[in-house]
Amino acid sequence: MVKNVILFASGNGSNVAAILSHCKNISDIHFPVIVTNNPKAGVIQLAKENGIDVLLINKAIFDSAVFLDTLERYQPSLLVLAGFLWRVPAYLIEAFPKQIINIHPALLPKYGGKGMYGHHVHEAVIANAEKQSGITIHMVNKEYDEGTILLQKKVDITPTDTAQTLASKVLALEHEWYVQVIRNLLQV
Ligand code: GAR
């Protein structure tokens, strides 16, 4: 049976690109729509190239339960946050229990929470002279970055690493592992 996955992204969209490219030939996964809050998000172009609808939302839409009707029309098995920066409202978490996942570019519970996203995370990790960082893929609950952890992968930090080089190492892990977790959860 085909499983519908709704992707949410706010930024460059490299994770979305990796997921779409990996799943191109998997007929049991369908991506009916990509949701973004950013009219300049890289996923808008990606969606066009892949023939996927885009839903451009604002905070008022996201926080209103009417948005639930829109999402339910796609009958999603999974909601995948891939660099999506807004906290998910309670009504969505209640409507899709254990069906919303997020990827975070550090080893939670360290370097998580409000304001900890993208380069801010890597800058804090480097400033604290950590020896390792990595990725965390987790279920989404009502608090930022606090849902059940599904997978973590580590990467070593060398003395010459900067926030930027660390970001590239971490993104490479994200691109490799997020799709594996998605496939595991969907069993496809
Ligand atoms: C990724 O590193 C992702 O882990 C991070 O934003 C980046 C998005 O990159 N997410 C967070 O920081 C969430 N707190 P992308 O737009 O190229 O996929």
Side-chain angles (χ1 to χ4, degrees):
M1 202 184 80
V2 174
K3 310 271 175 70
N4 289 320
V5 174
I6 300 185
L7 298 165
F8 289 69
S10 306
N12 293 332
S14 73
N15 274 285
V16 167
I19 292 166
L20 292 178
S21 133
H22 180 103
C23 294
K24 229 178 192 133
N25 299 317
I26 304 174
S27 53
D28 282 349
I29 305 185
H30 179 55
F31 300 94
V33 67
I34 298 177
V35 179
T36 186
N37 59 308
N38 178 3
K40 294 184 179 151
V43 286
I44 295 182
Q45 182 59 29
L46 262 173
K48 261 190 208 151
E49 287 164 14
N50 287 275
I52 300 173
D53 285 349
V54 174
L55 273 180
L56 180 61
I57 56 165
N58 59 28
K59 200 82 172 67
I61 293 173
F62 193 49
D63 286 340
S64 98
V66 176
F67 186 52
L68 182 56
D69 295 342
T70 310
L71 294 182
E72 278 177 337
R73 262 180 246 141
Y74 295 102
Q75 301 188 301
S77 296
L78 202 60
L79 275 56
V80 172
L81 313 189
F84 184 74
L85 300 182
W86 286 346
R87 192 206 309 251
V88 176
Y91 78 86
L92 277 183
I93 289 158
E94 280 150 25
F96 299 107
K98 297 193 178 159
Q99 286 174 283
I100 312 179
I101 60 172
N102 181 45
I103 191 158
H104 187 78
L107 298 170
L108 292 174
K110 287 174 107 177
Y111 303 104
K114 193 168 167 45
M116 273 295 177
Y117 61 88
H119 66 98
H120 298 289
V121 175
H122 304 301
E123 278 158 16
V125 169
I126 294 288
N128 283 347
E130 296 281 3
K131 298 272 184 293
Q132 284 191 317
S133 189
I135 63 169
T136 304
I137 297 169
H138 63 93
M139 289 287 172
V140 171
N141 69 9
K142 287 175 197 165
E143 302 306 323
Y144 271 114
D145 304 326
E146 286 186 14
T148 307
I149 291 175
L150 302 171
L151 177 123
Q152 288 189 306
K153 292 284 167 187
K154 292 180 182 164
V155 69
D156 287 332
I157 300 174
T158 63
T160 56
D161 268 325
T162 60
Q164 227 166 4
T165 61
L166 177 58
S168 314
K169 289 183 183 180
V170 168
L171 269 180
L173 278 183
E174 295 188 24
H175 298 165
E176 179 181 355
W177 288 102
Y178 208 7
V179 74
Q180 305 301 339
V181 172
I182 293 167
R183 292 187 65 177
N184 268 345
L185 288 171
L186 297 174
Q187 299 188 313
V188 292

